[in-house]
Amino acid sequence: RHYDLRIQHISKNITGVESHDALAINGQIPAPTLRFKKGDTAVTKVINETHERTTLHWHGVLVPWDMDGPAFSNNKLIEPGESFTFKFPIKQTGTYWYHSHAELQEQRGLYGAFIIEDEHQHPTINHDQELVLSDWSNEHAMSILHNLKKDGDYYGYKKDFLPSIIDAIRRGSFGGYLKGEWDRMGPMDLSDVGYDAFLINGEQQSTFENAKPGDKIRFRIINSASSSYFYINIGNLRNFTVISKDGIDIEPITVNELLVAIGETYDILFQVPNTHHPMAFELRSTAQDVTGYSSLFVGSGSTENAPDKEKSNPYVMKHEADHVGHKPPPQDMPPPHDPHGGLHGMSLPTKHQEAHSSIPKIKGLHYGMIRAKQKTEFNADLKRHDIRLQLSGDMNRYQWMINGKPFSEEKYIHVKYNEVVRFTMVNTTMMHHPMHLHGHFFRVINEQGAQSPLFHTVDVAPMSTVTIEFHANEPGIWFFHCHNLFHMMMGMARLIKYDNFEEPMDLVIYEKKVAPHMIQDDDMFWRGNLGAYSNHAEVEVGVNAGRYDVTLHLELDEYDPKTFESQLIFKRYLNIFFAVLGGAEVEDEKLHAILGLAYTLPLRIETRAYLRTDKKIVVTLKKEIPITGHVSLDLEPRFEYVDQEFEWEFETTGLYNFSEIWSAGLFYKRDENNHQTVGVGVKIRF
C-alpha cells in the first residue's frame, strides 16, 4: 500500500492570528490518515519540500530498526528538496500515529493518524472515527523553547497559573506550599506552555452528525500534542467503554473519564443514547491544566454539553487520585461558536455545584484497571536485567535528566539480546513524564499480575514510581524518551543500544554531523532583565548552556559613578542544586577575582559563597516570595568578612508583576552604616 507524503511550509490561522511557522503534510494539519491492514507492506515516500531537514517516526508501529525515523540512530535526515521511501511490513493491528522526529517540527503540525484495521471489523460498530488531539501555539516553536529556558514558569501569566502564599492560604493548603518550598520543588504545574488553542482533528469545534440514537461508535483517540495531556468526557459524564490501549486490545473497562498522556492512544466505544428528542452529545477534550478544550458534537439536535473541569490544587499531590471538580453542564444549548472558544469560559464550580444531583460520579480510568486479554509475562528462564532510572529536572534552568544526566552527557542504555529488561522509573519532579520506547512494547507491572498490559507509552506521574519490562528481541538502536517534546529536547532521552550490534559506519559519521541539532540540552540560551528606579539601576544578562551558566550583573546606586558595582560569574552545575563558580567582581572601583560555590537551600533560597583575591569572604542569599499572584517580594542579603571585620547589606524589591515581561514597584537598600536607598521604578525581563 503506497502513500506519497509531501512536507510543506504553510501559513495557518486557527485563532484569528496568522502563523507562518506551520508545517503540513500534503497541505493538511493534522497530516492525512494512513490506513493499512495486517499483512500489507507499507511503502511511504516522504518528499521534503521545505528548506529544513526532516524525518518521520511511526509511533508504536513495529518496524525494522533502520525504518524507525529518528536521525543518526536509525536514519539520515531528509534534506530539503530530497525524498526517502520508508518500506516495512505491517505486523499488527490497532490505532497508532506518525510524526516528525526532527527538532520542534511536531509542535508545528507534523503529526497524523496511522490506522491498521482489524482483520474482522467488530459487527456491532456502526462508525469508526479517529480523533487526533493536539495543542496549538501562535508563537514560533523555537521562541517557546527560548522562553522556557529564560524561566520555566514563563507562561504562568498566560495560563493564569500564579501560585502564591495568599492563594495557598485561601485553599487551606499553606502546609503543602511550605512543603513544596522546603523540598525545593515548588507547586505542581501540569504543563509548561501556554497554548492558544487545543484541537480535535485540527479544529477547536466540529460535529459528527451521522451518528443516530443507538449507534455504536469506535473513537480512536490519539494524543499527538507536544506538551499537553487531555481529559476525555462525553456529555453529562456519559459512560463509554475503553477497549484498546496503544493499539492492543484489553479487557473492556467502562468509565466516564479518560486522561490521555502525550503519545498514548486509546480506542473507546460509545453508544449514542436513545432520547425523547434528537440530541447532540459533546465529546470534550480538556487540557489537563484546564486552560482550554476542544469539542466534537456527536449527533444532531439540542446539545448535552460536557461539564467543565475544575483546576487542580497545585499545593497537593491528590489531583490524579480524586479527579475532583466538575461544573454542571448547560443542557439543550447549541454548540458555542466563539472562534477562541477553546480557551474561554472555564469557570470554576462551587461546592454546591460539585454536589449537584444531576452530575454522575466520576469514574476515571487508571492503569491498575487495565488488564491484557491474555498472559503477557515472559519466560522465567530468560535472564533479567534491572535498571533504575531517576527522572529529574530543574525548572529554573529548564533542564531535564535521567539519572542526573541529560542526553548530551549520557546517550546510551546498553542491553543484551534475549534478556528481559526491567526499568524502574522514579519521577522526582512535580511534572508528568510520558515515557515512550521505540521498536518494542513493554509490560506495565500493575495489579493484573500475569496479565499486566502491554504499552508503548506510559505516564510517570509526579513523585511516583512506574515499573516496566520488555523482551530485548529487536537488535538495533532505539530511542527511549519523554514524549513531552520540550522535556525531550532539553535532555530527558536515551538510546537503547543492543550489545554487539554493529551500527553502519555511514550513520556513525552522520551522527557527528547532525547530533548537535537533534536534542538541544547543551545549546546556549540567553536571558536578561533591566531594573530602572528613581535612585538605582541594575542590568543582568546571562547565558545558559546545559550545566554551564554565565551571568553579568551591573549595578549603580543614586546614579553616582563611584557606586558602580559589577559581577561576572561563571557557574558549572554538578547537580540541580549545587554549582562551583568563578569570575570577577568590581567594588569600590577595584577589580577582584572570585572563586566559590552556589547552592539552593531548602525553601528555594539561592546561596552563593565565595572568596575574593583581597581575602574577603562573601555570602549572598536570594529569595523570591510570591505574596499574591501578581505581587512578589525579592530579598537579597549580602554578608562580607575581611580582616576580622563583618559587614552586611540588605536589598529588597517589592514588585507588582503585570506580565512575564514587566513589573513596577519599590526598591530598598540598607547597609551596616545605616545608609539607605529607596526608589520607585520598573523592571523589564527580556
Side-chain angles (χ1 to χ4, degrees):
R1 192 166 297 197
H2 293 256
Y3 287 98
D4 285 351
L5 303 180
R6 299 180 180 276
I7 299 179
Q8 304 156 330
H9 291 289
I10 67 166
S11 293
K12 188 73 173 177
N13 188 328
I14 289 177
T15 66
V17 176
E18 195 77 19
S19 172
H20 302 287
D21 184 40
L23 293 170
I25 293 180
N26 296 355
Q28 298 177 222
I29 298 178
T33 296
L34 307 184
R35 296 187 180 276
F36 300 93
K37 292 183 178 179
K38 187 175 180 180
D40 287 347
T41 296
V43 181
T44 307
K45 185 178 182 180
V46 180
I47 304 111
N48 184 2
E49 297 181 353
T50 74
H51 55 67
E52 54 194 279
R53 297 164 169 159
T54 191
T55 186
L56 293 180
H57 164 60
W58 320 100
H59 186 107
V61 184
L62 298 174
V63 301
W65 80 271
D66 58 353
M67 289 287 130
D68 194 50
F72 74 75
S73 61
N74 305 88
N75 296 95
K76 294 181 180 180
L77 288 167
I78 306 169
E79 298 288 335
E82 296 185 1
S83 67
F84 180 78
T85 299
F86 292 90
K87 183 176 181 179
F88 47 84
I90 300 296
K91 302 185 290 185
Q92 62 205 99
T93 61
T95 302
Y96 306 97
W97 61 296
Y98 66 105
H99 59 85
S100 171
H101 227 298
E103 298 200 343
L104 298 172
Q105 293 176 353
E106 184 182 344
Q107 178 71 84
R108 298 161 61 193
L110 291 190
Y111 50 82
F114 191 109
I115 307 300
I116 308 173
E117 297 169 353
D118 299 342
E119 296 97 326
H120 305 289
Q121 179 67 36
H122 198 293
T124 64
I125 293 177
N126 303 101
H127 308 280
D128 194 308
Q129 177 65 48
E130 63 272 15
L131 303 180
V132 180
L133 315 180
S134 60
D135 42 29
W136 178 262
S137 176
N138 296 326
E139 289 185 82
H140 193 289
M142 187 54 72
S143 295
I144 295 174
L145 186 57
H146 275 271
N147 290 337
L148 291 171
K149 286 295 290 184
K150 291 176 189 176
D151 179 0
D153 298 318
Y154 181 90
Y155 289 98
Y157 290 91
K158 187 172 183 177
K159 297 186 300 174
D160 193 25
F161 180 78
L162 301 169
S164 67
I165 291 175
I166 297 301
D167 183 54
I169 293 172
R170 180 180 63 82
R171 293 174 181 264
S173 300
F174 185 63
Y177 172 85
L178 281 181
K179 185 179 187 306
E181 292 290 291
W182 183 261
D183 293 339
R184 296 173 287 189
M185 294 291 181
M188 183 181 304
D189 193 359
L190 299 178
S191 67
D192 297 328
V193 182
Y195 283 103
D196 296 298
F198 300 99
L199 311 175
I200 298 177
N201 295 339
E203 303 288 341
Q204 293 186 80
Q205 296 175 25
S206 55
T207 59
F208 191 78
E209 295 182 344
N210 295 333
K212 299 178 177 60
D215 281 0
K216 186 172 286 188
I217 308 169
R218 169 158 58 187
F219 288 116
R220 300 177 181 266
I221 298 171
I222 301 165
N223 187 349
S224 63
S226 291
S227 116
S228 303
Y229 284 46
F230 295 105
Y231 289 106
I232 300 298
N233 299 107
I234 302 179
N236 190 16
L237 296 184
R238 298 279 181 170
N239 284 341
F240 52 84
T241 302
V242 182
I243 61 170
S244 175
K245 161 71 165 92
D246 287 349
I248 296 181
D249 289 348
I250 60 173
E251 294 290 349
I253 308 167
T254 298
V255 294
N256 59 25
E257 180 165 279
L258 178 64
L259 178 64
V260 187
I262 305 163
E264 288 188 319
T265 73
Y266 287 92
D267 287 9
I268 67 172
L269 294 181
F270 174 65
Q271 187 163 18
V272 182
N274 285 292
T275 54
H276 296 297
H277 53 84
M279 291 194 70
F281 299 88
E282 181 190 19
L283 186 153
R284 182 182 291 189
S285 171
T286 305
Q288 188 188 21
D289 64 359
V290 196
T291 55
Y293 59 85
S294 51
S295 301
L296 174 72
F297 294 92
V298 182
S300 58
S302 58
T303 302
E304 181 179 292
N305 291 89
D308 291 348
K309 290 288 293 179
E310 183 187 46
K311 288 188 176 182
S312 299
N313 185 335
Y315 315 107
V316 299
M317 293 295 298
K318 293 171 57 181
H319 68 285
E320 294 308 327
D322 51 17
H323 292 276
V324 296
H326 277 284
K327 179 180 177 181
Q331 305 299 317
D332 299 322
M333 295 290 290
H337 292 287
D338 175 4
H340 308 284
L343 288 172
H344 303 294
M346 305 300 288
S347 56
L348 301 183
T350 65
K351 291 184 179 179
H352 171 74
Q353 290 169 328
E354 289 178 28
H356 197 286
S357 60
S358 69
I359 306 177
K361 184 177 180 180
I362 300 165
K363 297 179 291 186
L365 181 78
H366 62 81
Y367 285 157
M369 301 163 63
I370 302 179
R371 183 178 179 87
K373 285 205 160 188
Q374 58 278 321
K375 289 185 177 180
T376 60
E377 58 188 351
F378 299 117
N379 189 321
D381 295 333
L382 294 173
K383 290 183 178 180
R384 260 59 180 175
H385 184 186
D386 291 343
I387 300 174
R388 181 181 174 88
L389 302 175
Q390 184 184 82
L391 311 180
S392 62
D394 181 353
M395 283 295 286
N396 289 332
R397 293 182 297 125
Y398 206 74
Q399 190 85 29
W400 299 96
M401 292 159 280
I402 297 177
N403 290 344
K405 295 182 179 181
F407 182 80
S408 61
E409 294 181 8
E410 187 172 286
K411 290 184 172 62
Y412 297 107
I413 297 174
H414 292 272
V415 302
K416 292 181 172 61
Y417 178 75
N418 207 35
E419 66 182 4
V420 174
V421 181
R422 174 173 285 207
F423 289 166
T424 299
M425 294 180 286
V426 182
N427 185 356
T428 63
T429 78
M430 298 296 280
M431 292 206 68
H432 288 254
H433 298 295
M435 302 304 294
H436 171 54
L437 175 60
H438 291 214
H440 306 72
F441 280 82
F442 49 75
R443 300 178 73 235
V444 177
I445 308 304
N446 68 359
E447 292 92 325
Q448 307 303 330
Q451 288 180 249
S452 291
L454 295 171
F455 296 1
H456 56 60
T457 304
V458 65
D459 174 41
V460 187
M463 307 302 288
S464 71
T465 298
V466 171
T467 300
I468 67 173
E469 61 182 20
F470 64 94
H471 186 198
N473 60 354
E474 291 289 340
I477 300 175
W478 303 95
F479 227 163
F480 172 68
H481 61 95
C482 178
H483 221 284
N484 182 314
L485 179 60
F486 300 99
H487 294 184
M488 181 192 79
M489 294 299 288
M490 286 296 106
M492 192 172 279
R494 290 292 186 270
L495 292 169
I496 307 299
K497 186 173 184 178
Y498 281 70
D499 287 352
N500 301 319
F501 175 76
E502 294 295 331
E503 188 176 4
M505 186 53 63
D506 62 334
L507 279 184
V508 174
I509 296 170
Y510 190 70
E511 176 180 357
K512 296 177 181 178
K513 177 182 177 182
V514 305
H517 303 287
M518 298 311 299
I519 289 186
Q520 297 170 295
D521 62 70
D522 59 352
D523 283 8
M524 289 193 296
F525 295 86
W526 65 272
R527 67 190 183 278
N529 62 72
L530 166 66
Y533 302 90
S534 56
N535 59 353
H536 176 84
E538 58 184 44
V539 178
E540 183 173 286
V541 292
V543 174
N544 175 259
R547 290 188 185 271
Y548 296 92
D549 190 273
V550 182
T551 304
L552 174 64
H553 185 89
L554 309 175
E555 190 170 332
L556 190 66
D557 282 335
E558 299 175 357
Y559 295 96
D560 182 352
K562 293 181 180 180
T563 68
F564 175 76
E565 295 180 359
S566 66
Q567 279 185 336
L568 179 63
I569 292 181
F570 298 83
K571 286 195 285 190
R572 204 273 184 185
Y573 283 86
L574 304 180
N575 57 44
I576 61 175
F577 300 126
F578 184 54
V580 294
L581 65 86
E585 181 173 83
V586 173
E587 184 182 46
D588 297 329
E589 301 181 85
K590 294 181 180 179
L591 176 65
H592 313 280
I594 64 176
L595 183 66
L597 304 171
Y599 187 68
T600 302
L601 292 168
L603 297 179
R604 296 203 290 174
I605 299 172
E606 298 177 25
T607 307
R608 290 197 301 219
Y610 55 86
L611 177 65
R612 299 196 326 194
T613 47
D614 62 354
K615 300 182 181 180
K616 179 179 284 191
I617 298 172
V618 181
V619 177
T620 65
L621 306 177
K622 185 175 182 180
K623 171 64 179 173
E624 180 181 354
I625 303 174
I627 307 299
T628 71
H630 288 271
V631 177
S632 63
L633 188 64
D634 293 347
L635 306 177
E636 296 187 44
R638 175 184 169 106
F639 307 96
E640 300 179 350
Y641 181 79
V642 64
D643 296 332
Q644 299 184 340
E645 291 187 7
F646 178 79
E647 299 176 354
W648 62 268
E649 180 180 279
F650 179 76
E651 182 178 311
T652 183
T653 310
L655 295 171
Y656 186 89
N657 303 294
F658 293 94
S659 72
E660 66 279 359
I661 302 297
W662 77 283
S663 311
L666 298 171
F667 172 84
Y668 175 76
K669 189 175 184 179
R670 180 180 178 181
D671 61 25
E672 79 282 353
N673 297 319
N674 204 31
H675 180 265
Q676 300 182 63
T677 303
V678 182
V680 297
V682 298
K683 185 174 183 178
I684 301 172
R685 303 166 191 87
F686 54 89

